Amino acid sequence: MIDIHSHILPAIDDGARNMDMTLSMLHMSVESGVTDIIATPHVNRGGHVPSWQEIEEKTAQVTDAAKEAYLPIHIYSGAEIELNGDVLRFLKEGSRDYCLAGSPYILLELTDQSQPDMSERLIYELQLRGFWPILAHVERYGQLMSHPDILISWAKKGILLQCNIGSFTGYFGQHLQRHAENLYQNHLVHFLGSDGHRTEFRTTDMREGQDALRSLQQKQHNQQDLWLETTQNASRILNHRVLYPDVPEHWQVKKKGLWHRLFS
């Protein structure tokens, strides 16, 4: 597995507090079968934009520490960028600062205040500058999940979608679990990430999520092996290759059974 969304860098955002915690998080990743992980600290959240040099330096420090601890995992630089007008100031055409693993891919985060039409215009401007957008933890955005036709339209325009694996376990509540399962049913999960922040909660341990995906595949009689498919997709990030996923024409939601309709 390739974890494309994590907050493992020490003392840079609300993720790992120190290097000891970072190494514990990486150990959890290795135990989960993760071979590669991209460090994606928050950028532009609350207007705070850590320098790309600081992110790269911390990534190099974590890489050295992981080698000393004999942890078999590859670590790459990246960022989780809050999407607003300020991104046009520091995401320059031709630059790979704040991109994932040196590729043109960028991981973008919406807020509760984000309006889909404005967000789409900003993303389009970033695409014109040569960036390949990935929308982080898409299952969280009620303004999109309540209008899935927008999601399908965005996917057709090259906007890729990432889900947090914890959403499939119900860790973030049943509401987000249903969103994640509906995205899976419609083949609109292109990448998975732990979005790991700490060792006590919201960890980088993805084993329970992998079990949840197996159960969901059986329950929905779906032939899609999401764990394998998203790993293959993520390898395209590491190899700087474009991903052209199949996009559904229409959004489908599994109908509820008669018993559920009568008593819900």
Side-chain angles (χ1 to χ4, degrees), residues 30-205:
V30 171
E31 290 295 307
S32 301
V34 173
T35 57
D36 302 81
I37 189 168
I38 305 177
T40 54
H42 290 291
V43 167
N44 201 36
R45 177 171 280 193
H48 177 61
V49 181
S51 72
W52 181 240
Q53 180 181 357
E54 179 185 5
I55 292 173
E56 288 195 306
E57 288 175 352
K58 283 185 176 288
T59 303
Q61 292 167 7
V62 169
T63 296
D64 290 342
K67 287 180 180 177
E68 291 179 5
Y70 299 102
L71 289 171
I73 190 169
H74 302 286
I75 304 159
Y76 304 86
S77 299
E80 180 185 11
I81 306 163
E82 185 172 302
L83 183 67
N84 57 45
D86 284 345
V87 300
L88 302 180
R89 174 177 54 83
F90 61 86
L91 290 177
K92 303 294 186 181
E93 184 174 357
S95 172
R96 291 294 172 257
D97 292 0
Y98 305 105
C99 292
L100 302 181
S103 73
Y105 287 97
I106 49 173
L107 185 66
L108 301 173
E109 178 182 32
L110 303 186
T111 69
D112 292 338
Q113 290 72 44
S114 298
Q115 297 300 316
D117 55 345
M118 178 59 70
S119 297
E120 184 174 350
R121 285 196 288 270
L122 286 171
I123 294 173
Y124 179 64
E125 177 60 35
L126 292 174
Q127 287 176 309
L128 290 178
R129 295 186 181 190
F131 297 103
W132 303 343
I134 300 173
L135 199 59
H137 40 61
V138 63
E139 71 276 12
R140 288 189 188 179
Y141 308 130
Q143 65 269 53
L144 293 177
M145 295 303 303
S146 60
H147 296 89
D149 55 310
I150 296 177
L151 279 178
I152 291 175
S153 172
W154 283 16
K156 289 180 178 179
K157 294 174 182 177
I159 300 172
L160 302 170
L161 309 177
Q162 177 256 316
C163 276
N164 287 353
I165 197 163
S167 295
F168 289 95
T169 69
Y171 181 85
F172 300 104
Q174 292 185 351
H175 189 60
L176 292 192
Q177 185 176 14
R178 284 194 296 272
H179 283 175
E181 291 179 352
N182 287 335
L183 287 162
Y184 168 74
Q185 180 184 346
N186 285 275
H187 299 275
L188 283 172
V189 182
H190 306 128
F191 302 99
L192 290 172
S194 67
D195 195 7
H197 278 67
R198 297 289 176 91
T199 52
E200 307 92 350
F201 57 91
R202 291 185 66 179
T203 74
T204 52
D205 190 337

Side-chain angles (χ1 to χ4, degrees), residues 7-25 58 196-201:
H7 298 267
I8 57 172
L9 297 187
I12 193 172
D13 62 359
D14 59 346
R17 289 191 295 264
N18 50 50
M19 186 63 77
D20 286 341
M21 180 174 285
T22 294
L23 292 176
S24 295
M25 293 169 72
K58 283 185 176 288
H197 278 67
R198 297 289 176 91
T199 52
E200 307 92 350
F201 57 91

Side-chain angles (χ1 to χ4, degrees), residues 205-221:
D205 190 337
M206 300 174 77
R207 286 173 289 187
E208 185 178 353
Q210 187 177 13
D211 291 340
L213 290 175
R214 290 196 192 99
S215 297
L216 180 61
Q217 183 178 0
Q218 294 173 357
K219 182 175 71 173
Q220 292 194 0
H221 304 289

